[in-house]
């Protein structure tokens, strides 16, 4: 049982390193394809159902992707379907895993745009890089780092997407502040995440599934909205799409970075000194 935030993050990293190795055929030999199928976690075992993973993508989207990118899909939604990406935009995917949403984003923004994938797990980054190459993607860059300390300059991104990762963070306030820092004024987020109904306590969320399985660490709907507003976002919405456990939902989270925060009495996000670039 992880005791500190660092221990918990290491547990998450190990869990997703195993998933990446399983998809790459380097795991413990379960031979079952999906990176999650060896887990006894109730949420993870739902990959391939309508709750988590590749089943949440259109068949047409799946057909244009390498098999390993589809099998490595561990998300709880389809952020590229909600982010309304345009040609020429710069997109950042937080916790890019096997690269499925980076590949789809890179195709959407075209050669004049750019898709970054950020992940802390070496095995996932290697898998994503291979998948992007196999898909013939030239406008994607995979970065190693933490979503709590994004290694990109301030105001360098048009859209942030993420698929079932923010719930895994041990410092969600830092993540939301970093989102506001890297986005250009008027930039937007289109995130899929697991979100709890407001009445569930932290203990009740923990009873419904594990932290590494994307359940126990989920924010409630009100916590998500308040956190985004405090970080300098407006037009914030959190919409439940499908129940993944009792009172816990896959959700679409949208928000726009406030254009002129100082005029609205909202926080002005300063670049974090440790968030150096490239
Ligand atoms: C549930 S998987 C989702 C992967 C991908 N978004 C998808 O939809 O398939 C979570 C991913 O986030 C990464 N991750 C979790 N916590 C992170 C953190 N604090 N900083 C960077 N990456 C993190 C893990 O390494 C893993 O690849």
């Amino acid at each position: 049982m992880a005791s500190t935030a660092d221990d918990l993050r290491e547990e998450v990293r190990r869990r997703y390193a195993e998933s990446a190795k399983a998809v790459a055929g380097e795991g413990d030999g379960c031979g079952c394809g999906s990176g999650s199928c060896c887990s006894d976690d109730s949420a993870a075992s739902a990959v391939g159902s309508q709750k988590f993973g590749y089943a949440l993508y259109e068949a047409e989207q799946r057909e244009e992707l390498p098999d390993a990118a589809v099998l490595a899909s561990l998300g709880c939604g389809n952020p590229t379907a909600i982010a309304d990406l345009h040609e020429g935009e710069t997109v950042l995917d937080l916790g890019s895993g096997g690269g499925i949403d980076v590949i789809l984003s890179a195709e959407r923004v075209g050669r004049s745009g750019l898709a970054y994938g950020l992940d802390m797990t070496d095995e996932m980054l290697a898998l994503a890089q291979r998948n992007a190459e196999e898909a013939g993607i030239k406008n994607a860059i995979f970065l190693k780092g933490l979503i709590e300390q994004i290694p990109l300059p301030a105001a360098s991104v048009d859209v942030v997407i993420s698929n079932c990762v923010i719930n895994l963070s041990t410092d969600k306030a830092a993540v939301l502040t970093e989102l506001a820092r890297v986005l250009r004024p008027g930039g937007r987020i289109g995130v899929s995440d697991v979100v709890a109904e407001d009445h569930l306590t932290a203990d009740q969320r923990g009873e419904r599934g594990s932290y590494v399985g994307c359940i126990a660490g989920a924010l409630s709907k009100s916590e998500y909205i308040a956190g985004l507003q405090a970080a300098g976002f407006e037009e914030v919405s959190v919409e439940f799409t499908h129940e993944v456990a009792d009172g816990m939902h896959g959700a679409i989270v949208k928000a726009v970075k406030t254009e002129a925060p100082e005029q609205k009495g909202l926080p002005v996000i300063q670049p974090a000194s440790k968030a150096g670039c490239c």
Side-chain angles (χ1 to χ4, degrees):
M1 181 70 135
S3 52
T4 67
D6 284 350
D7 291 343
L8 196 49
R9 181 181 287 154
E10 178 53 21
E11 200 178 298
V12 170
R13 194 201 58 72
R14 265 203 314 270
R15 156 76 172 77
Y16 289 100
E18 283 308 313
S19 290
K21 286 197 273 185
V23 170
E26 301 160 5
D28 58 9
C30 72
C32 42
S34 161
S36 291
C37 58
C38 294
S39 169
D40 58 2
D41 184 280
S42 60
S45 66
V47 169
S49 70
Q50 296 298 320
K51 293 181 180 176
F52 289 88
Y54 56 81
L56 298 165
Y57 292 79
E58 300 291 328
E60 278 173 15
Q61 284 183 307
R62 298 199 302 248
E63 276 160 21
E64 64 191 61
L65 290 161
D67 287 349
V70 174
L71 283 175
S73 170
L74 299 170
C76 47
N78 179 353
T80 58
I82 56 179
D84 191 24
L85 302 176
H86 303 295
E87 188 89 19
E89 287 189 315
T90 298
V91 185
L92 167 65
D93 181 18
L94 299 183
S96 42
I100 185 167
D101 295 313
V102 174
I103 295 171
L104 291 169
S105 297
E107 287 170 348
R108 290 272 183 87
V109 300
R111 294 296 280 270
S112 61
L114 182 60
Y116 287 108
L118 173 65
D119 207 288
M120 67 176 179
T121 305
D122 287 322
E123 291 82 350
M124 276 297 186
L125 288 164
L127 178 63
Q129 190 68 54
R130 282 199 300 277
N131 287 336
E133 278 162 23
E134 194 181 321
I137 298 296
K138 305 269 188 251
N139 56 334
I141 297 175
F142 291 96
L143 302 168
K144 181 172 180 176
L146 297 175
I147 63 174
E148 295 84 359
Q149 295 170 27
I150 299 175
L152 285 173
S156 58
V157 168
D158 298 301
V159 186
V160 175
I161 62 170
S162 185
N163 199 348
C164 229
V165 180
I166 295 176
N167 69 77
L168 293 170
S169 171
T170 53
D171 187 351
K172 292 168 178 74
V175 176
L176 301 183
T177 303
E178 279 291 83
L179 286 189
R181 184 184 66 79
V182 297
L183 277 169
R184 301 195 171 100
R188 60 199 189 279
I189 70 168
V191 162
S192 297
D193 207 357
V194 172
V195 179
E197 291 175 15
D198 286 336
H199 63 89
L200 291 182
T201 63
D203 282 349
Q204 288 170 329
R205 295 172 216 178
E207 286 161 9
R208 283 157 173 75
S210 71
Y211 197 95
V212 297
C214 297
I215 300 291
L219 292 170
S220 73
K221 186 172 182 172
S222 295
E223 288 166 346
Y224 231 126
I225 292 171
L228 283 164
Q229 287 170 338
F233 286 93
E234 46 192 12
E235 297 175 44
V236 177
S237 67
V238 176
E239 184 197 328
F240 293 155
T241 52
H242 56 290
E243 193 167 59
V244 296
D246 183 21
M248 315 277 300
H249 302 262
I252 293 171
V253 180
K254 288 185 178 179
V256 175
K257 180 180 169 181
T258 307
E259 297 250 16
E262 62 290 349
Q263 287 168 20
K264 297 178 180 175
L266 291 166
V268 180
I269 308 300
Q270 301 296 344
S273 55
K274 53 192 167 193
C277 175
C278 332

